[in-house]
Amino acid sequence: MNKETIQAEPFKIKMVEPIRLIPRSEREARIEEADYNVFGLKPEDVYIDLLTDSGTSAMSDRQWAGLMMGDESYAGSRNFDHLQQTIKELMGFKYVVPTHQGRPAENILTAALIKPGQKVPGNTHFDSTMAHILQKKGVPVNLPIPEAMKTDIYHPFKGNVDIKKLESFLEKEKGNTSFFLMTVTNNTGGGQPVSMGNIRKVREITSKYGIPFFFDAARFAENAYFIKEREEGYADKSIREIVWEMMSYADGCTMSAKKDGLVNMGGFICMNDEGLYEQCCEMLILLEGFITYGGLSGRDLEALAIGLQEVVEEDYLRYRIEQVRYLGSRLMDAGIPIINPTGGHAVYVDAKAFLPHIPQSQFPGQVTAVELYIEAGVRSSEIGAVAFARKDEETGEVVYPELELTRLAIPRRVYTNRHMDVVAEGLERVSRRKESVRGLKITWEPDVLRHFMAKFARL
Ligand code: F0G
């Protein structure tokens, strides 16, 4: 790996979008008007937006040029040929089905593969994936390694699957398992990578039991970079070689290209099985459009084909991972508890440890997001009790998730490290006055996915 220390962002800025920090008194008023839910804030009232890394990337000049080359033919667009060729060269799968983002890809694949009652094991399913599995009457099963739940200890591959648990799970459930899904990197578990060794082992075990193995590949390139950096035997391999090997173990993947596709909208499904491809095509035509555009414009397909080539450039990935690490180390230096090590796309504050005086029933992850906005105009998101607490159907008691996090997701090629300094300074200022910070209570919530729309009041 190139260890030059004088490297900065591997791009220069050609176009800018002004942003503005509104005064603190206005920030206090805006978050109150939004019922203390950051999803209700207007973007012009946000200074630095770390709500998500999804669909928020800055495209390159080559991608923008690609937009002008859109072939908007309904059937047989040449941009689809370019995308298909690019994915084949990068990942090696036989068939590519374009979709407009990640969740239609999940919808179509789960509809094709799951029979009611079947289990779908994985490292940790993302929330939209889980929802699609449940909607097909499947049962999502998460089998992460135990280290994944310990925020303060270092492990190079916290996204790994617990191989022993998987083996005993399949021994029991092989007749009732639909497919295995490996999410790289593991978003819900902190953007943590999965090692090649773990991927290889999962292939061996799933083959032994005859279970198809798919990737949720939303952040496949970031995962490959961590393998190069941390796993023995990969330091001298190119990112393309690593991606190729990762994908060679799988039967296919779903992809939200809004992450490692470096585009604002896009997705796809890949597979090697012809029968599955035909099934997916039928559903695609019903839900998204013809098989050579899948809900996207020709120009979008072109920008994605170019984005997939750029995302595997090592200079880009070094900048990307280093920026996330920079924010993480600034927070750790200030004594703010985060998931260690930092992952590929976000820094996750351990809100239970950050605000120990606020019980999980008063949403410390949400409180951290609200206070950070008030302090520095930075928007983050809660991944904790608001998103994942549920009522036990038998006892009626609320079951809280083990991790209570505030996610600082960093858009790709959008902010500089000076912006990261402002985020860190904002959290440091919250930290200095944290004893006086109060919890929140929910005043209204929808039936499903309540974190997007719930209303809160201060206690
Ligand atoms: N899989 C993973 C691992 C994701 O992180 C996401 C989206 C999806 C699938 C769904 O893709 O949004 O294109 O439909 N994650 C976003 C986030 C929303 O903020 O983490 P989509």
Side-chain angles (χ1 to χ4, degrees), residues 52 101-103 106 126 128 187 216 219 256 259 407:
T52 180
Q101 62 181 84
R103 61 202 79 181
E106 292 168 351
F126 182 66
S128 63
N187 185 6
D216 174 338
R219 300 175 180 87
S256 167
K259 286 81 169 173
R407 184 182 75 166

Side-chain angles (χ1 to χ4, degrees), residues 98-100 265 284 287-290 292-297 300:
T99 59
H100 84 270
M265 195 53 74
L284 187 82
L287 298 170
E288 295 273 285
F290 191 61
T292 57
Y293 74 87
L296 294 164
S297 308
D300 294 337

